[in-house]
Coordinates of all heavy atoms in Angstrom, one line a residue:
M607 N 21.9 34.3 6.7 CA 20.5 34.2 6.7 C 20.0 33.7 5.3 O 20.4 34.3 4.3 CB 19.8 35.5 7.1 CG 18.4 35.4 7.2 SD 17.7 37.0 7.8 CE 16.1 36.9 7.4
D608 N 19.2 32.7 5.3 CA 18.7 32.2 4.0 C 17.5 33.1 3.5 O 16.6 33.3 4.2 CB 18.1 30.7 4.3 CG 17.9 30.0 3.0 OD1 17.9 30.6 1.9 OD2 17.7 28.8 3.1
T609 N 17.6 33.5 2.3 CA 16.6 34.4 1.8 C 15.9 33.7 0.6 O 15.9 34.2 -0.5 CB 17.2 35.7 1.3 OG1 18.2 35.4 0.3 CG2 17.8 36.5 2.4
Q610 N 15.3 32.6 0.9 CA 14.5 31.9 -0.1 C 13.3 32.8 -0.5 O 12.6 33.3 0.4 CB 14.0 30.6 0.4 CG 15.1 29.6 0.5 CD 15.6 29.0 -0.8 OE1 14.9 29.1 -1.8 NE2 16.8 28.5 -0.8
P611 N 12.9 32.9 -1.7 CA 11.7 33.7 -2.1 C 10.4 33.0 -1.6 O 10.4 31.7 -1.5 CB 11.7 33.7 -3.6 CG 12.6 32.6 -4.0 CD 13.5 32.4 -2.9
L612 N 9.5 33.7 -1.1 CA 8.2 33.2 -0.7 C 7.4 32.6 -1.9 O 7.3 33.4 -2.9 CB 7.4 34.3 0.0 CG 6.0 33.9 0.5 CD1 6.1 32.8 1.6 CD2 5.3 35.1 1.0
L613 N 7.0 31.4 -1.8 CA 6.2 30.8 -2.9 C 4.8 30.8 -2.5 O 4.4 30.4 -1.4 CB 6.7 29.4 -3.2 CG 8.1 29.3 -3.9 CD1 8.5 27.9 -4.1 CD2 8.2 30.1 -5.1
L614 N 3.9 31.2 -3.4 CA 2.5 31.1 -3.3 C 2.0 29.9 -3.9 O 2.5 29.5 -5.0 CB 1.9 32.4 -3.9 CG 2.4 33.7 -3.5 CD1 1.9 34.8 -4.3 CD2 2.0 33.9 -2.0
T615 N 1.0 29.2 -3.3 CA 0.5 27.9 -3.8 C -1.0 27.9 -3.7 O -1.6 28.4 -2.8 CB 1.1 26.8 -2.9 OG1 2.5 26.8 -2.9 CG2 0.6 25.4 -3.4
S616 N -1.6 27.3 -4.7 CA -3.0 27.0 -4.7 C -3.2 25.6 -5.3 O -2.3 25.1 -6.1 CB -3.8 28.0 -5.5 OG -3.5 28.0 -6.8
S617 N -4.3 25.0 -5.0 CA -4.5 23.6 -5.6 C -6.0 23.5 -6.0 O -6.9 24.2 -5.5 CB -4.2 22.6 -4.5 OG -5.0 22.8 -3.3
A618 N -6.2 22.5 -6.8 CA -7.6 22.1 -7.3 C -7.6 20.6 -7.5 O -6.6 20.0 -7.8 CB -7.9 22.9 -8.6
I619 N -8.8 20.1 -7.3 CA -9.0 18.6 -7.5 C -10.1 18.5 -8.6 O -11.1 19.2 -8.5 CB -9.6 17.9 -6.2 CG1 -8.6 18.1 -5.1 CG2 -9.9 16.5 -6.5 CD1 -7.3 17.3 -5.2
V620 N -9.8 17.7 -9.6 CA -10.8 17.5 -10.7 C -11.1 16.0 -10.7 O -10.2 15.2 -10.7 CB -10.2 17.9 -12.1 CG1 -11.1 17.6 -13.2 CG2 -9.8 19.4 -12.0
I621 N -12.4 15.7 -10.7 CA -12.8 14.3 -10.8 C -13.2 13.9 -12.2 O -14.0 14.6 -12.9 CB -14.1 14.1 -9.9 CG1 -13.8 14.5 -8.4 CG2 -14.6 12.7 -9.9 CD1 -12.7 13.8 -7.8
S622 N -12.5 12.9 -12.7 CA -12.7 12.4 -14.1 C -12.2 11.0 -14.2 O -11.2 10.6 -13.6 CB -12.0 13.3 -15.0 OG -12.0 12.7 -16.3
E623 N -12.9 10.2 -14.9 CA -12.4 8.8 -15.2 C -11.2 8.9 -16.1 O -10.4 7.9 -16.1 CB -13.5 8.0 -15.9 CG -14.7 7.7 -15.0 CD -14.3 6.9 -13.8 OE1 -13.5 6.0 -13.9 OE2 -14.9 7.3 -12.7
R624 N -10.9 10.0 -16.7 CA -9.7 10.2 -17.5 C -8.6 11.0 -16.8 O -7.8 11.7 -17.5 CB -10.1 10.9 -18.8 CG -11.0 10.0 -19.7 CD -11.0 10.4 -21.2 NE -9.6 10.2 -21.7 CZ -8.9 11.1 -22.2 NH1 -9.3 12.3 -22.4 NH2 -7.7 10.9 -22.7
A625 N -8.5 11.0 -15.5 CA -7.6 11.8 -14.7 C -6.1 11.6 -15.2 O -5.4 12.6 -15.5 CB -7.7 11.5 -13.3
S626 N -5.7 10.4 -15.3 CA -4.3 10.1 -15.8 C -4.1 10.5 -17.3 O -3.1 11.1 -17.6 CB -4.0 8.6 -15.7 OG -2.7 8.4 -16.2
G627 N -5.1 10.3 -18.1 CA -5.0 10.7 -19.5 C -4.9 12.2 -19.6 O -4.1 12.7 -20.4
Y628 N -5.7 13.0 -18.8 CA -5.6 14.5 -18.9 C -4.2 14.9 -18.3 O -3.6 15.9 -18.9 CB -6.7 15.1 -18.1 CG -8.0 14.9 -18.8 CD1 -9.2 14.6 -18.0 CD2 -8.2 15.1 -20.2 CE1 -10.4 14.5 -18.6 CE2 -9.4 14.9 -20.8 CZ -10.5 14.6 -20.0 OH -11.7 14.4 -20.6
L629 N -3.7 14.3 -17.3 CA -2.4 14.6 -16.8 C -1.3 14.5 -17.9 O -0.6 15.4 -18.2 CB -2.0 13.7 -15.6 CG -0.7 13.9 -14.9 CD1 -0.7 13.4 -13.5 CD2 0.5 13.2 -15.7
Q630 N -1.4 13.4 -18.6 CA -0.4 13.1 -19.6 C -0.6 14.0 -20.8 O 0.4 14.5 -21.4 CB -0.5 11.6 -20.1 CG -0.1 10.7 -19.0 CD -0.3 9.2 -19.3 OE1 0.4 8.7 -20.2 NE2 -1.3 8.6 -18.7
Q631 N -1.9 14.3 -21.2 CA -2.1 15.2 -22.3 C -1.6 16.6 -22.0 O -1.0 17.3 -22.9 CB -3.6 15.2 -22.6 CG -4.0 15.9 -23.8 CD -5.5 15.8 -24.2 OE1 -6.3 15.3 -23.4 NE2 -5.9 16.3 -25.4
L632 N -1.9 17.1 -20.8 CA -1.4 18.4 -20.4 C 0.2 18.5 -20.5 O 0.7 19.4 -21.1 CB -1.8 18.8 -19.0 CG -3.3 19.3 -18.9 CD1 -3.7 19.2 -17.4 CD2 -3.5 20.7 -19.5
C633 N 0.8 17.5 -19.9 CA 2.3 17.4 -19.9 C 2.8 17.3 -21.4 O 3.8 18.0 -21.7 CB 2.8 16.3 -19.1 SG 2.5 16.6 -17.3
K634 N 2.3 16.5 -22.2 CA 2.7 16.3 -23.6 C 2.5 17.7 -24.3 O 3.4 18.1 -25.1 CB 2.0 15.2 -24.3 CG 2.4 13.8 -23.8 CD 1.6 12.8 -24.5 CE 1.9 11.4 -23.9 NZ 1.1 10.3 -24.5
H635 N 1.4 18.3 -24.1 CA 1.1 19.5 -24.8 C 2.1 20.6 -24.5 O 2.7 21.2 -25.3 CB -0.3 20.0 -24.5 CG -0.6 21.4 -25.0 ND1 -1.0 21.6 -26.3 CD2 -0.6 22.6 -24.5 CE1 -1.2 22.8 -26.6 NE2 -1.0 23.5 -25.4
F636 N 2.4 20.8 -23.2 CA 3.3 21.9 -22.8 C 4.8 21.5 -22.9 O 5.6 22.3 -23.0 CB 3.0 22.3 -21.3 CG 1.8 23.1 -21.1 CD1 0.7 22.5 -20.5 CD2 1.7 24.3 -21.7 CE1 -0.5 23.3 -20.3 CE2 0.5 25.1 -21.5 CZ -0.5 24.5 -20.9
G637 N 5.0 20.2 -23.1 CA 6.4 19.7 -23.3 C 7.0 20.2 -24.6 O 8.2 20.2 -24.7
H638 N 6.2 20.7 -25.5 CA 6.8 21.3 -26.7 C 7.3 22.7 -26.5 O 8.0 23.2 -27.4 CB 5.7 21.3 -27.8 CG 5.2 19.9 -28.2 ND1 6.0 19.0 -29.0 CD2 4.0 19.3 -27.9 CE1 5.3 17.9 -29.1 NE2 4.1 18.0 -28.5
K639 N 6.9 23.3 -25.4 CA 7.3 24.7 -25.1 C 8.1 24.9 -23.9 O 8.9 25.9 -23.8 CB 6.0 25.5 -25.0 CG 5.1 25.4 -26.2 CD 3.7 26.1 -25.9 CE 2.8 25.9 -27.1 NZ 1.7 25.1 -26.9
V640 N 7.9 24.1 -22.8 CA 8.6 24.3 -21.5 C 9.1 23.0 -21.0 O 8.7 21.9 -21.5 CB 7.6 25.0 -20.5 CG1 7.2 26.4 -21.0 CG2 6.4 24.2 -20.2
A641 N 9.8 23.1 -19.9 CA 10.3 21.9 -19.2 C 9.2 21.1 -18.6 O 8.4 21.7 -17.8 CB 11.4 22.2 -18.2
V642 N 9.1 19.8 -18.8 CA 8.0 19.0 -18.3 C 8.7 17.6 -18.0 O 9.6 17.1 -18.7 CB 7.0 18.8 -19.4 CG1 6.0 17.7 -19.0 CG2 6.2 20.1 -19.7
S643 N 8.2 17.0 -16.9 CA 8.5 15.6 -16.6 C 7.2 15.0 -16.1 O 6.4 15.6 -15.5 CB 9.6 15.5 -15.5 OG 9.1 16.0 -14.3
F644 N 7.0 13.7 -16.5 CA 5.7 13.0 -16.1 C 5.8 11.5 -16.3 O 6.6 11.0 -17.0 CB 4.5 13.6 -16.9 CG 4.5 13.2 -18.3 CD1 3.7 12.2 -18.8 CD2 5.2 14.0 -19.3 CE1 3.7 11.8 -20.1 CE2 5.1 13.7 -20.6 CZ 4.4 12.6 -21.1
T645 N 4.9 10.9 -15.5 CA 4.6 9.5 -15.6 C 3.0 9.5 -15.6 O 2.4 10.5 -15.5 CB 5.0 8.7 -14.3 OG1 4.3 9.2 -13.2 CG2 6.5 8.9 -14.1
P646 N 2.4 8.3 -15.8 CA 0.9 8.3 -15.8 C 0.3 8.8 -14.4 O -0.8 9.2 -14.4 CB 0.6 6.8 -16.0 CG 1.7 6.3 -16.8 CD 3.0 7.0 -16.2
E647 N 1.1 8.8 -13.3 CA 0.6 9.2 -12.0 C 1.0 10.6 -11.6 O 0.3 11.2 -10.7 CB 1.0 8.2 -11.0 CG 0.5 6.8 -11.1 CD 1.3 6.0 -12.1 OE1 2.5 6.2 -12.3 OE2 0.8 5.1 -12.8
R648 N 2.1 11.1 -12.1 CA 2.7 12.4 -11.6 C 3.3 13.2 -12.7 O 3.9 12.6 -13.6 CB 3.7 12.2 -10.5 CG 3.2 11.5 -9.3 CD 4.1 11.8 -8.1 NE 3.5 11.2 -6.9 CZ 2.6 11.8 -6.2 NH1 2.0 12.9 -6.5 NH2 2.1 11.2 -5.0
G649 N 3.2 14.5 -12.6 CA 3.8 15.3 -13.6 C 4.2 16.7 -13.1 O 3.6 17.1 -12.0
T650 N 5.1 17.4 -13.7 CA 5.5 18.7 -13.4 C 5.6 19.5 -14.7 O 6.3 19.1 -15.6 CB 6.8 18.7 -12.6 OG1 6.7 17.9 -11.4 CG2 7.2 20.1 -12.1
I651 N 5.0 20.7 -14.7 CA 5.2 21.6 -15.8 C 5.8 22.9 -15.2 O 5.3 23.5 -14.3 CB 3.8 21.9 -16.4 CG1 3.1 20.6 -16.9 CG2 3.9 22.9 -17.6 CD1 1.7 20.8 -17.3
V652 N 6.9 23.3 -15.9 CA 7.7 24.5 -15.4 C 7.6 25.6 -16.4 O 8.2 25.5 -17.4 CB 9.2 24.1 -15.1 CG1 10.0 25.3 -14.6 CG2 9.3 22.9 -14.2
F653 N 6.9 26.6 -16.0 CA 6.7 27.8 -16.8 C 7.7 28.9 -16.3 O 8.3 28.7 -15.2 CB 5.3 28.4 -16.7 CG 4.2 27.5 -17.1 CD1 3.4 26.9 -16.2 CD2 4.0 27.3 -18.5 CE1 2.4 26.1 -16.6 CE2 3.0 26.5 -18.9 CZ 2.1 25.9 -17.9
D654 N 8.0 29.9 -17.0 CA 8.8 31.0 -16.6 C 8.2 31.7 -15.4 O 8.9 32.3 -14.6 CB 9.1 32.0 -17.7 CG 9.9 31.5 -18.8 OD1 10.6 30.5 -18.6 OD2 9.9 32.1 -19.9
F655 N 6.9 31.7 -15.3 CA 6.2 32.5 -14.3 C 5.7 31.7 -13.1 O 5.1 32.2 -12.2 CB 5.0 33.2 -14.9 CG 4.2 32.3 -15.8 CD1 3.2 31.6 -15.4 CD2 4.5 32.3 -17.2 CE1 2.4 30.8 -16.2 CE2 3.8 31.5 -18.1 CZ 2.7 30.7 -17.6
G656 N 5.9 30.3 -13.1 CA 5.5 29.5 -12.0 C 5.5 28.0 -12.5 O 5.8 27.7 -13.6
N657 N 5.0 27.1 -11.6 CA 5.0 25.7 -11.9 C 3.6 25.1 -11.6 O 2.9 25.7 -10.8 CB 6.0 25.0 -11.0 CG 7.4 25.5 -11.2 OD1 7.8 26.0 -12.2 ND2 8.2 25.4 -10.1
C658 N 3.4 23.9 -12.2 CA 2.2 23.2 -11.8 C 2.6 21.7 -11.6 O 3.2 21.1 -12.5 CB 1.1 23.3 -12.9 SG -0.4 22.5 -12.4
A659 N 2.3 21.2 -10.4 CA 2.5 19.8 -10.1 C 1.1 19.1 -10.3 O 0.1 19.6 -9.9 CB 3.0 19.6 -8.7
L660 N 1.1 17.9 -11.0 CA -0.1 17.2 -11.2 C 0.1 15.8 -10.7 O 1.2 15.2 -10.7 CB -0.3 17.1 -12.7 CG -0.4 18.4 -13.5 CD1 1.0 18.8 -14.1 CD2 -1.4 18.3 -14.7
A661 N -1.0 15.2 -10.2 CA -1.0 13.9 -9.7 C -2.4 13.3 -10.0 O -3.4 13.9 -9.8 CB -0.7 13.8 -8.2
S662 N -2.4 12.0 -10.4 CA -3.6 11.3 -10.6 C -3.7 10.0 -9.8 O -2.7 9.4 -9.6 CB -3.8 11.0 -12.1 OG -2.9 10.0 -12.5
S663 N -4.8 9.8 -9.3 CA -5.1 8.6 -8.5 C -6.5 8.2 -8.8 O -7.4 8.9 -8.4 CB -4.8 8.8 -7.0 OG -5.1 7.6 -6.3
G664 N -6.7 7.1 -9.4 CA -8.1 6.7 -9.8 C -8.8 7.7 -10.6 O -8.2 8.1 -11.7
N665 N -9.9 8.2 -10.1 CA -10.6 9.2 -10.9 C -10.4 10.7 -10.4 O -11.1 11.6 -10.7 CB -12.1 8.9 -10.9 CG -12.7 9.2 -9.5 OD1 -12.0 9.3 -8.5 ND2 -14.0 9.2 -9.4
M666 N -9.3 10.9 -9.7 CA -9.0 12.2 -9.2 C -7.7 12.7 -9.8 O -6.6 12.1 -9.8 CB -8.8 12.1 -7.6 CG -8.6 13.4 -7.0 SD -8.7 13.3 -5.2 CE -7.2 12.4 -4.8
L667 N -7.8 14.0 -10.3 CA -6.6 14.7 -10.8 C -6.4 15.9 -9.9 O -7.2 16.7 -9.7 CB -6.8 15.2 -12.2 CG -5.7 16.0 -12.8 CD1 -4.4 15.3 -12.9 CD2 -6.2 16.5 -14.2
S668 N -5.2 15.9 -9.2 CA -4.8 16.9 -8.3 C -3.9 17.9 -9.0 O -2.9 17.5 -9.7 CB -4.1 16.3 -7.1 OG -3.6 17.3 -6.3
L669 N -4.2 19.2 -8.9 CA -3.3 20.2 -9.6 C -2.8 21.1 -8.5 O -3.6 21.6 -7.6 CB -4.2 21.1 -10.5 CG -5.0 20.3 -11.6 CD1 -6.0 21.2 -12.3 CD2 -4.0 19.7 -12.6
T670 N -1.5 21.4 -8.4 CA -0.9 22.3 -7.5 C -0.1 23.4 -8.2 O 0.9 23.0 -8.8 CB -0.1 21.6 -6.4 OG1 -0.9 20.6 -5.8 CG2 0.5 22.6 -5.4
A671 N -0.6 24.6 -8.2 CA 0.1 25.7 -8.8 C 1.0 26.4 -7.8 O 0.6 26.6 -6.7 CB -0.9 26.7 -9.4
T672 N 2.2 26.8 -8.3 CA 3.2 27.5 -7.4 C 3.8 28.6 -8.2 O 4.2 28.4 -9.3 CB 4.3 26.5 -6.9 OG1 3.6 25.4 -6.3 CG2 5.2 27.1 -5.9
A673 N 4.0 29.8 -7.5 CA 4.6 30.9 -8.2 C 5.2 31.8 -7.1 O 4.8 31.8 -6.0 CB 3.7 31.6 -9.1
G674 N 6.1 32.7 -7.5 CA 6.7 33.7 -6.6 C 5.9 34.9 -6.5 O 6.1 35.7 -5.6
T675 N 4.9 35.2 -7.4 CA 4.0 36.4 -7.3 C 2.6 36.0 -7.5 O 2.3 34.9 -8.0 CB 4.4 37.4 -8.4 OG1 4.1 36.8 -9.7 CG2 5.9 37.8 -8.3
T676 N 1.7 36.9 -7.0 CA 0.3 36.6 -7.2 C -0.1 36.6 -8.7 O -0.9 35.8 -9.2 CB -0.6 37.6 -6.5 OG1 -0.2 38.9 -6.9 CG2 -0.5 37.5 -5.0
V677 N 0.6 37.5 -9.5 CA 0.3 37.5 -10.9 C 0.8 36.2 -11.6 O 0.1 35.6 -12.4 CB 1.1 38.7 -11.6 CG1 1.0 38.6 -13.1 CG2 0.5 40.0 -11.1
G678 N 1.9 35.7 -11.2 CA 2.4 34.4 -11.7 C 1.5 33.3 -11.3 O 1.2 32.4 -12.1
L679 N 1.0 33.2 -10.1 CA 0.1 32.2 -9.6 C -1.2 32.2 -10.4 O -1.6 31.2 -10.9 CB -0.1 32.3 -8.1 CG -1.0 31.2 -7.5 CD1 -0.2 29.9 -7.6 CD2 -1.3 31.6 -6.0
S680 N -1.7 33.4 -10.6 CA -2.9 33.5 -11.3 C -2.8 33.1 -12.8 O -3.6 32.4 -13.4 CB -3.4 35.0 -11.3 OG -4.5 35.2 -12.1
R681 N -1.6 33.4 -13.3 CA -1.3 33.0 -14.7 C -1.2 31.4 -14.8 O -1.7 30.9 -15.8 CB 0.0 33.7 -15.2 CG 0.2 33.6 -16.6 CD 1.3 34.6 -17.1 NE 1.6 34.3 -18.4 CZ 2.8 34.7 -19.0 NH1 3.6 35.4 -18.3 NH2 3.1 34.4 -20.2
V682 N -0.5 30.8 -13.9 CA -0.4 29.3 -13.9 C -1.8 28.7 -13.8 O -2.2 27.8 -14.6 CB 0.5 28.8 -12.7 CG1 0.4 27.3 -12.7 CG2 1.9 29.3 -12.9
Q683 N -2.6 29.2 -12.9 CA -4.0 28.7 -12.7 C -4.8 28.9 -14.0 O -5.4 27.9 -14.5 CB -4.7 29.5 -11.6 CG -4.2 29.2 -10.2 CD -4.8 30.2 -9.2 OE1 -5.2 31.3 -9.6 NE2 -4.7 29.8 -8.0
H684 N -4.7 30.0 -14.6 CA -5.5 30.3 -15.9 C -5.0 29.4 -17.0 O -5.8 28.8 -17.7 CB -5.3 31.7 -16.3 CG -5.9 32.0 -17.6 ND1 -7.3 32.1 -17.8 CD2 -5.4 32.2 -18.8 CE1 -7.5 32.3 -19.1 NE2 -6.4 32.4 -19.7
V685 N -3.7 29.3 -17.2 CA -3.2 28.5 -18.3 C -3.5 27.0 -18.2 O -4.0 26.4 -19.1 CB -1.6 28.7 -18.4 CG1 -1.0 27.7 -19.4 CG2 -1.3 30.1 -18.9
I686 N -3.3 26.5 -17.0 CA -3.6 25.1 -16.7 C -5.1 24.8 -16.9 O -5.6 23.9 -17.6 CB -3.1 24.6 -15.4 CG1 -1.6 24.6 -15.3 CG2 -3.6 23.2 -15.0 CD1 -0.9 23.7 -16.3
A687 N -5.9 25.6 -16.2 CA -7.4 25.4 -16.2 C -8.0 25.6 -17.7 O -8.8 24.8 -18.1 CB -8.1 26.4 -15.3
S688 N -7.5 26.6 -18.4 CA -8.1 26.8 -19.7 C -7.7 25.6 -20.7 O -8.6 25.2 -21.5 CB -7.6 28.1 -20.3 OG -6.2 28.1 -20.5
H689 N -6.5 25.1 -20.5 CA -6.2 24.0 -21.4 C -6.9 22.7 -21.0 O -7.4 22.0 -21.8 CB -4.6 23.8 -21.3 CG -3.9 24.7 -22.2 ND1 -3.7 26.0 -21.9 CD2 -3.4 24.5 -23.5 CE1 -3.0 26.6 -22.9 NE2 -2.8 25.7 -23.8
L690 N -7.0 22.5 -19.7 CA -7.7 21.3 -19.2 C -9.2 21.4 -19.6 O -9.8 20.4 -20.1 CB -7.6 21.1 -17.7 CG -8.3 19.9 -17.1 CD1 -7.9 18.6 -17.7 CD2 -8.1 19.9 -15.6
E691 N -9.8 22.5 -19.5 CA -11.2 22.7 -19.9 C -11.3 22.4 -21.4 O -12.3 21.8 -21.9 CB -11.7 24.1 -19.6 CG -11.9 24.3 -18.1 CD -12.1 25.8 -17.8 OE1 -11.9 26.7 -18.6 OE2 -12.5 26.0 -16.6
R692 N -10.4 22.8 -22.2 CA -10.4 22.6 -23.7 C -10.2 21.1 -23.9 O -11.0 20.5 -24.8 CB -9.3 23.4 -24.3 CG -9.5 23.4 -25.8 CD -8.5 24.4 -26.5 NE -8.0 25.5 -25.7 CZ -6.8 25.9 -25.7 NH1 -5.9 25.4 -26.5 NH2 -6.5 27.0 -24.9
F693 N -9.3 20.4 -23.3 CA -9.1 19.0 -23.5 C -10.3 18.1 -23.0 O -10.6 17.1 -23.6 CB -7.8 18.5 -22.8 CG -6.5 19.1 -23.3 CD1 -5.4 19.3 -22.5 CD2 -6.4 19.6 -24.6 CE1 -4.3 19.9 -22.9 CE2 -5.2 20.2 -25.0 CZ -4.2 20.3 -24.2
A694 N -10.9 18.6 -21.9 CA -12.0 17.8 -21.3 C -13.4 18.4 -21.6 O -14.3 18.4 -20.8 CB -11.8 17.7 -19.8
F695 N -13.5 19.0 -22.8 CA -14.7 19.7 -23.1 C -16.0 18.9 -23.0 O -17.1 19.4 -22.7 CB -14.6 20.4 -24.5 CG -14.6 19.4 -25.7 CD1 -15.8 19.1 -26.3 CD2 -13.4 18.8 -26.1 CE1 -15.8 18.2 -27.3 CE2 -13.4 17.9 -27.1 CZ -14.6 17.6 -27.8
R696 N -15.9 17.6 -23.2 CA -17.1 16.7 -23.1 C -17.6 16.6 -21.7 O -18.7 16.4 -21.4 CB -16.8 15.4 -23.7 CG -16.7 15.3 -25.2 CD -16.5 13.9 -25.8 NE -16.4 13.9 -27.2 CZ -15.3 14.1 -27.9 NH1 -14.1 14.2 -27.2 NH2 -15.3 14.1 -29.2
E697 N -16.6 16.7 -20.7 CA -16.9 16.5 -19.3 C -17.2 17.8 -18.6 O -17.8 17.8 -17.5 CB -15.8 15.8 -18.6 CG -15.5 14.4 -19.1 CD -14.4 13.7 -18.3 OE1 -14.5 13.6 -17.1 OE2 -13.4 13.3 -18.9
K698 N -16.8 18.9 -19.2 CA -17.0 20.2 -18.6 C -16.5 20.2 -17.1 O -17.3 20.4 -16.2 CB -18.4 20.7 -18.7 CG -18.8 20.9 -20.1 CD -20.2 21.5 -20.2 CE -20.5 21.9 -21.6 NZ -21.4 21.1 -22.3
P699 N -15.2 20.0 -16.8 CA -14.8 19.8 -15.5 C -14.9 21.2 -14.7 O -14.8 22.2 -15.2 CB -13.3 19.5 -15.6 CG -12.9 20.1 -16.9 CD -14.1 20.0 -17.8
E700 N -15.2 21.0 -13.4 CA -15.2 22.2 -12.5 C -13.8 22.3 -11.9 O -13.4 21.4 -11.1 CB -16.3 22.0 -11.4 CG -16.4 23.2 -10.6 CD -17.5 23.1 -9.5 OE1 -18.3 22.1 -9.6 OE2 -17.5 23.9 -8.6
I701 N -13.2 23.4 -12.1 CA -11.8 23.6 -11.6 C -11.9 24.8 -10.7 O -12.1 25.9 -11.1 CB -10.8 23.9 -12.8 CG1 -10.8 22.7 -13.8 CG2 -9.4 24.1 -12.2 CD1 -10.2 23.0 -15.1
V702 N -11.8 24.5 -9.4 CA -11.8 25.5 -8.3 C -10.5 25.5 -7.6 O -10.2 24.6 -6.9 CB -13.0 25.3 -7.4 CG1 -13.0 26.4 -6.3 CG2 -14.3 25.2 -8.1
W703 N -9.8 26.6 -7.7 CA -8.5 26.7 -7.0 C -8.7 27.2 -5.6 O -9.4 28.1 -5.3 CB -7.6 27.7 -7.8 CG -7.2 27.3 -9.2 CD1 -7.8 27.6 -10.3 CD2 -6.1 26.4 -9.5 NE1 -7.2 27.0 -11.4 CE2 -6.2 26.2 -10.9 CE3 -5.2 25.7 -8.8 CZ2 -5.3 25.4 -11.6 CZ3 -4.3 24.9 -9.5 CH2 -4.3 24.8 -10.9
N704 N -8.0 26.6 -4.7 CA -8.0 27.0 -3.3 C -6.7 27.4 -2.8 O -5.7 27.0 -3.2 CB -8.4 25.8 -2.4 CG -9.8 25.3 -2.8 OD1 -10.8 26.0 -2.8 ND2 -9.9 24.0 -3.1

């Protein structure tokens, strides 16, 4: 029997003319500390407590947080949102996780 751990997921969509720029800025920032891979359209940030997949298309930045625990998921959401809010302070993005 396969005993894969249950992964919890949440997502958010942020509208910004700088969607690709913010994706790349987040990935470059975290790339100094954790495993990251990215292109201008897609990125992945791998934390010890969970992951975040990012995708940009036009003015839309899609964020998908994944973790094995609710605490880990909450932490991924907080870390990504707080950094994006700091990088996009002029735009004051609304980040609502679903």
